[in-house]
Amino acid sequence: MNSNPSLTVRERFARIQPNLLWTWGPGARLLGTLAADLSETTDGVDPGTILARASDASLARAALAHADDLRAVEQAVEGHRSPEWSLLNRTPVAYFSMEFGIHESLAIYSGGLGVLAGDHLKSASDLGLPLVAVGFFYREGYFTQTLDKDGWQQAAYPKVEPSAQLARAIAPGGEPLAVEVETRGGVIHADVWEIGVGGVRLFLLDADVERNDPDDRALTHRLYGGDERTRIRQELLLGVGGLRALRAMGIEPGVLHLNEGHCAFAALEEVAARMDRGATYDDAVDAVRGRCVFTTHTPVPAGHDRFVPELLLEHLAPYGQRLGLTPEALLGLGRIDPRSEDETFCMTVLALKLADRVNGVSFLHGRVSRAMWERLWPKRSRNEVPIGHITNGVHVPTFMAPQMSELLDRHLGAGWQTTQHERSTWAPAFELPTEALTTIRRTLKDELIAKVRTRASEEARARGESDEVVAALGQAIDPNALLIGFARRFATYKRAALILRDREQLVKLVNDPDHPVCLVFAGKAHPKDEGGKKLLKLVFEASRDPQLLGKVILLSGYDLGLGRALTRGVDLWLNNPRRPKEASGTSGQKVVFNGGLNLSVLDGWWAEAYDGSNGFAIGEGDVHQDAGLQDRLDREALWMALEEEVLPCWRDQEAWTTRVRRSMATLGWRFNAQRMVRDYAVGAYLPAAGDMLRDPRA
């Protein structure tokens, strides 16, 4: 593609336009150049819009000035395949997920699960791993967030039309791809869109088609919206319709990766398809288990979807017939005890029964998951329960600031990102020059402060707040203050308001004339989560306390773009979930790659990351059954860590920078998505593909 002399520059760009590679690495640099010519920013903007607006002259200048970047983008879009994964070339991995957080311009994600899925696709592309993905195109996304004058979250669902980045998937016969899924009450129809994520093809199902009745047209309008009936129909469409879409495209997956239990019906469809080809039920189940990988993401019981028997049978009755199962046996697939009539049908249980390779997303979460689901293996001890762990990581080219990447290019060596999963690659980070590191940190912090001031004051003005409040927010944050960030889903177990409970101490902290502190909060609560919305209101009210105004700030409209800015610019990232409810968490990992430090409860990834001098810990990992006692002790431990460790270190900037260097050197190689995807490939995908090739029933 890149060497075809018959293509004009615009044609070269047009051939690679429907791809989100424009949002990271060489693509982001190219897009930034084109946006600068248009006097625009790339933040939150659909890359296709910028490419369409660019003049021929601008495209030509960009192609000439960034010839290597353009070739790199073209090669990545072509889908280069590494010989390391050749076993998967013919039958790739199919990755199913309810959400994908790839870029804020494609609003088909809500939080960490989706961002993790997006990073998985990007790193698979970077590694040349044969992988395709299936999700939904949500016409109204998750929701857009504003706060009213009292601090209550307001949710809006603007209609979203497919952008220039999306194209209808075209089947090998030349027709636009559409799929059907049968239920006892009728057929669910969906069209299929396609977008590139580098060399990975992402297929998005869209039920908003005239062939469906009004209720089914709304199935893919909103992420995590609707009732249980909506949810089961979504999950049936994702798993069954998604696998059928891949086959209709001529793609025969060798491995099925189910990212959370929402996707488990894909495994059931694979069992049924094998039986349609003549396999017995037992042989089909055995074969499917061998090629299924299941990642569970939550230790919170509410995160595991359950359906009452009547609803399940209404939708899966056709499967009972295809599988030759009685209704009781079909229900038993989703029950820990197949004979229990009182137990609801659990999607996680279905996935656990149909996958040989199961993992949590951190060492601690793996242990918690074994305890949660040990009843499925009554003859094994807890330590023998076959659930392992692959700790999450983040896609470094997406979340690392360009300035920091350039510094590492000079000191880690050219091409360090190709070996970022190796410990030795990061050893030179121990010697990063103080002056250069401090200069970059100051630049990133200044950029964040400018963004926070603009957004906070504009939001206040839109709410009709006083001129005094608007003016104070326009000058918010002392540039010399220790800037602490807290941004994530406002689920109650994440305890966003923990630091605000001791108001007198907080007022003293932020108003220290010699060493002030500022806090910036952002995040969304699920529209049905009243507890989360109350936490947002508490933070908002604190931010309007005259003694805290301009020093404690809450921003609305949290998305990937704001998340990138915060994790790049803050000095310290605060994370205080109620242990052990944080399966992994990845926002703090993004801070590591930008020279910030973490202050966190020893939960999720931080439980295995913290070594005593590469960040800071809240408490010692104790867990109490009494939630009130847990919160009080953790709050005391938070203040102790701040006053006895964090602030003294901050006042000694050489000590702080030494800790930053150690954070990058000890954590950079472990908590990146390249290491994570390699772990999946080596520990799960290749063994599963090998089992399939050895199995005569495959």
Side-chain angles (χ1 to χ4, degrees), residues 64-99:
L64 183 62
H66 302 282
D68 290 343
D69 283 346
L70 180 55
R71 281 193 292 271
V73 172
E74 290 174 322
Q75 290 167 0
V77 170
E78 285 175 340
H80 75 285
R81 292 288 178 255
S82 169
E84 190 172 5
W85 323 116
S86 58
L87 188 61
L88 297 165
N89 280 341
R90 183 174 59 85
T91 53
V93 177
Y95 185 96
F96 293 79
S97 183
M98 199 79 166
E99 51 174 307

